[in-house]
Amino acid sequence: MDLKAVRTFVAVADAGQFQEAAAVLGLTQQAVSKRIAALERDLGVRLFTRTARGAEPTLDGRAFLPHARALLLAEERAAASVRPGRRALRVDVIGPRVAPAVLLRGFHEAHPGVELDVVTLFDADTAFAAVQAGRVDATFRAVGMPGRPLPGSLASARVLDEPLHLLTGPEHALADADSVTPAELAGHRIWMPSLVEGVEWGAYYTSLAAEFGLTIDSAGPNFGSAAMLDRIAGSPELATFMGEHPRHAGRDLRLIPITGPTPVYPHSLVWDRANAHPALTALRTHLTGGAPWPKAPHAGGTWVPDWAVT
């Protein structure tokens, strides 16, 4: 059904005259008559009766009028749902308990009027495809992994270098250390069952292990972070890497800084250059225009893979 003709029908019904409806719509009276005639042909009924005072809806016209109004309202709502600034800003944060989610919560606190739709996609390839297709507005990812260049339509900005810590149980040989160096971790079993070949965090930890001669063990089923932390808490041999955002409440674990250098995980915000959502601009400004994450000096500097995009 031609919604322009439906809008014209409602205008005539409201005005009671073809001429006045034409003025409201910015059309000629002839154009209004043609639209009404076309709509009547489509519906197979007469919609108006000409009178000395103008035009009055027929019985069929009166029956159609509330439905015509509903059609126009649905059209307006449909357009508003995708109009920049009217729909929620959809952002992928990888996981609800990782650093990007904390960054996004900080943005929400600073901009409580911005409606957010938070999603968790699996890997960078999936996330970048979703951004390109318009299924999400932005994603937080490590960018630049070998063989996976950022698609040309996308842009990125590094928004957080998250320091890694060593997480151990109380019986681990390094549990009482104030800090450890990457070199001191050589020979210890770093257990990360969530590592998957081909994903960006897998590429990061592969580079880290190669750089410092570390043993990262991804063997065993991944039953989730809670099960992994429970096992590490009771093991004198297992340790894992974790960011500085606490995720181990209620367990007897040790979070030990890594220094000399400190490995940092490079989180970038990625978006489509053509995306005009105003809240996306606000998010980018929030993340890159200030200091959204406390940055402390790291003894011995920091390390990041040479493939990571700045």
Side-chain angles (χ1 to χ4, degrees):
M1 187 174 295
D2 185 353
L3 289 180
K4 290 182 179 179
V6 174
R7 186 174 294 105
T8 302
F9 163 75
V10 171
V12 174
D14 289 344
Q17 293 182 343
F18 276 58
Q19 184 175 0
E20 187 174 339
V24 170
L25 296 171
L27 300 171
T28 66
Q29 186 172 340
Q30 182 181 18
V32 169
S33 297
K34 286 184 177 180
R35 287 186 179 181
I36 296 300
L39 184 60
E40 288 177 333
R41 286 195 300 272
D42 287 342
L43 296 174
V45 297
R46 290 283 303 277
L47 295 173
F48 290 104
T49 298
R50 301 275 187 164
T51 69
R53 291 182 298 177
E56 291 184 358
T58 63
L59 289 176
D60 289 321
R62 290 172 186 163
F64 180 62
L65 184 57
H67 300 290
R69 295 192 193 279
L71 283 172
L72 297 181
L73 180 59
E75 179 196 28
E76 173 58 26
R77 287 175 175 170
S81 71
V82 295
R83 193 171 294 138
R86 295 294 297 274
R87 64 169 176 80
L89 183 72
R90 198 169 205 216
V91 183
D92 162 48
V93 296
I94 305 176
R97 302 183 68 186
V98 297
V102 178
L103 289 179
L104 197 60
R105 285 200 297 271
F107 170 73
H108 180 62
E109 291 170 0
H111 299 79
V114 174
E115 187 178 354
L116 292 174
D117 183 7
V118 183
V119 300
T120 54
L121 302 177
F122 182 65
D123 65 330
D125 288 346
T126 300
F128 294 162
V131 173
Q132 283 185 297
R135 293 190 296 272
V136 299
D137 295 296
T139 180
F140 289 91
R141 295 288 162 174
V143 177
M145 63 179 289
R148 307 286 179 82
L150 192 68
S153 63
L154 304 186
S156 69
R158 192 118 129 232
V159 295
L160 170 65
D161 284 351
E162 182 184 13
L164 294 189
H165 292 65
L166 184 72
L167 190 74
T168 76
E171 302 302 320
H172 193 278
L174 299 173
D176 295 327
D178 293 329
S179 65
V180 295
T181 67
E184 291 172 327
L185 297 179
H188 290 277
R189 184 182 173 193
I190 310 298
W191 189 48
M192 304 189 75
S194 63
L195 287 188
V196 178
E197 185 177 353
V199 300
E200 72 272 19
W201 61 89
Y204 173 87
Y205 286 108
T206 295
S207 296
L208 177 64
E211 179 74 17
F212 297 105
L214 306 182
T215 300
I216 297 181
D217 181 7
S218 61
N222 178 17
F223 292 114
S225 60
M228 181 189 73
L229 295 179
D230 287 340
R231 185 171 174 188
I232 289 174
S235 172
E237 298 178 351
L238 296 180
T240 194
F241 290 126
M242 183 164 287
E244 58 190 348
H245 181 59
R247 282 170 272 163
H248 54 278
R251 296 178 178 86
D252 189 6
L253 292 165
R254 308 290 189 269
L255 193 63
I256 305 166
I258 304 174
T259 61
T262 297
V264 296
Y265 193 89
H267 296 281
S268 291
L269 182 73
V270 179
W271 67 94
D272 193 292
R273 300 175 193 274
N275 191 321
H277 198 303
L280 177 59
T281 300
L283 176 61
R284 290 165 48 194
T285 300
H286 174 83
L287 294 176
T288 62
W293 193 274
K295 294 183 179 180
H298 300 288
T302 59
W303 176 88
V304 70
D306 56 10
W307 50 259
V309 174
T310 57

